[in-house]
């Protein structure tokens, strides 16, 4: 049976100048991660650094993505970036629906769905973030909150497109400074429910990665859970040694490593 290769990626959020981003990319290109066949590595720079990072990582195993996009092809959308622009810069994937965009920039399930539809129409891989707030978690409403957000994604995803959608379960209460990483078993349960939702609609599961205070101490335990298909890392992977270290640690823990 084919051994699944976990996704392991990082978004740099609003960090790194072009020079810093390209230095990270050059160091990554010189590492074993650049030629790995054990995991599916990806980095998501700020818009300003995508082209330079994508050029440096071209021909390696590392995918490059964008942190957001608009759903329109073009037009009077000041400050926005379109799918064609993202592809032109060299990205092959786009992160959508991050809780920081839902909280601070008015992103909704409806706008996320518009963006997913546009990303898939342009052949991009859509990494769609879903998560429960602390209030939903404490009320025991995690599953229903995730089901609602995932349904918005599935409502615009054709069966033939499902392989180009990856869900990132990111508890809002786990992300960033002060975030508490989810218990691996709890996260695994949520991932399994999302997979069950996909099977009910499409007859097949979907990849679901975990994000929210992933670090060198918890990466193996999280990656080892059966329904966790990878890790989506922020702070612990913002320096290249941190990112490479987590990838290598997870690789060493994979079956048959
Ligand atoms: O936000 C994310 C996780 O950030 P951490 O700093 O690891 O908590 C995820 O989307 C990767 O950016």
């Amino acid at each position: 049976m084919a051994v699944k290769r976990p996704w392991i990626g990082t978004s740099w959020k609003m960090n790194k100048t072009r020079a810093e981003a390209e230095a990270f990319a050059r160091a990554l290109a010189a590492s074993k991660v650049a030629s790995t066949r054990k995991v599916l590595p990806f980095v998501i720079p700020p818009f300003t650094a995508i082209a330079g990072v994508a050029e440096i990582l071209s021909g390696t195993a590392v995918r490059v993505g964008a942190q957001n996009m608009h759903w329109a092809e073009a037009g009077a959308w000041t400050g926005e970036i379109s799918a064609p622009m993202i592809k032109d810069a060299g990205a092959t994937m786009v992160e959508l629906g991050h809780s920081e965009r839902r909280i601070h920039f008015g992103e909704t399930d409806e706008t996320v769905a518009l963006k997913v539809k546009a990303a898939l129409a342009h052949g991009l891989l859509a990494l769609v973030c879903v998560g429960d707030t602390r209030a939903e978690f404490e009320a025991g409403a995690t599953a229903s909150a995730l089901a609602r957000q995932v349904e918005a994604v599935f409502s615009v995803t054709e069966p033939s497109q499902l392989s180009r959608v990856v869900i990132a379960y990111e508890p809002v209460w786990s992300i960033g400074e002060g975030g508490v990483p989810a218990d691996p078993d709890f996260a695994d349960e949520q991932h399994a429910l999302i997979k069950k939702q996909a099977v009910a609609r499409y007859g097949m599961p979907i990849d679901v990665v975990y994000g929210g205070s992933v670090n060198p101490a918890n990466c193996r335990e999280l990656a080892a859970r059966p329904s966790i298909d990878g890790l989506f890392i922020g702070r612990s992977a913002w320096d290249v040694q941190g990112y490479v270290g987590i990838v290598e640690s997870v690789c060493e823990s994979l079956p048959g490593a």
Side-chain angles (χ1 to χ4, degrees):
M1 187 171 109
V3 176
K4 283 201 71 170
R5 296 191 294 164
W7 298 90
I8 303 183
T10 178
S11 165
W12 300 336
K13 301 191 181 180
M14 192 173 78
N15 293 294
K16 299 189 191 298
T17 63
R18 275 183 49 193
E20 290 164 337
E22 292 174 13
F24 184 113
R26 278 192 292 274
L28 184 58
S31 76
K32 288 189 287 186
V33 175
S35 56
T36 183
R37 298 183 57 79
K38 293 184 177 180
V39 303
L40 299 169
F42 64 92
V43 296
I44 302 184
F47 288 131
T48 50
I50 290 176
V53 167
E55 186 173 348
I56 292 166
L57 293 174
S58 174
T60 74
V62 185
R63 272 180 183 264
V64 178
Q67 295 180 20
N68 180 39
M69 62 171 252
H70 194 274
W71 57 83
E73 288 287 304
W77 301 97
T78 301
E80 291 293 329
I81 301 283
S82 68
M85 292 171 178
I86 287 172
K87 290 172 66 176
D88 181 55
T92 60
M93 66 187 293
V94 59
E95 167 189 4
L96 298 169
H98 193 279
S99 61
E100 291 158 2
R101 296 209 60 81
R102 293 177 190 253
I103 294 165
H104 304 300
F105 302 101
E107 193 82 275
T108 64
D109 291 339
E110 291 69 29
T111 59
V112 170
L114 287 169
K115 294 179 178 188
V116 170
K117 185 177 177 74
L120 295 175
H122 284 277
L124 291 167
L125 184 144
L127 174 62
V128 191
C129 303
V130 299
D132 48 329
T133 64
R134 174 161 296 284
E136 289 165 335
F137 172 70
E138 289 174 350
T142 294
S144 57
L146 299 182
R148 185 199 78 235
Q149 295 171 54
V150 169
E151 174 53 26
V153 178
F154 288 174
S155 68
V156 296
T157 302
E158 297 297 329
S160 63
Q161 298 173 319
L162 195 65
S163 63
R164 284 194 288 115
V165 177
V166 175
I167 300 290
Y169 169 46
E170 301 202 315
V172 179
W173 41 274
S174 295
I175 294 171
E177 289 298 333
V180 177
D183 170 81
D185 288 331
F186 175 83
D188 192 52
E189 287 166 23
Q190 309 321 309
H191 286 222
L193 288 172
I194 294 169
K195 288 172 178 285
K196 189 175 176 183
Q197 192 173 343
V199 170
R201 189 186 189 100
Y202 298 101
M204 62 184 105
I206 189 170
D207 279 357
V208 187
V209 299
Y210 171 79
S213 293
V214 174
N215 59 51
N218 62 24
C219 62
R220 289 188 173 195
E221 197 179 6
L222 285 160
R225 289 302 186 281
S227 295
I228 297 182
D229 300 310
L231 304 173
F232 190 18
I233 315 157
R235 290 156 295 150
S236 294
W238 285 348
D239 65 75
V240 66
Q241 292 79 17
Y243 175 64
V244 171
I246 288 176
V247 173
E248 290 180 344
S249 177
V250 170
C251 283
E252 287 163 10
S253 68
L254 293 173

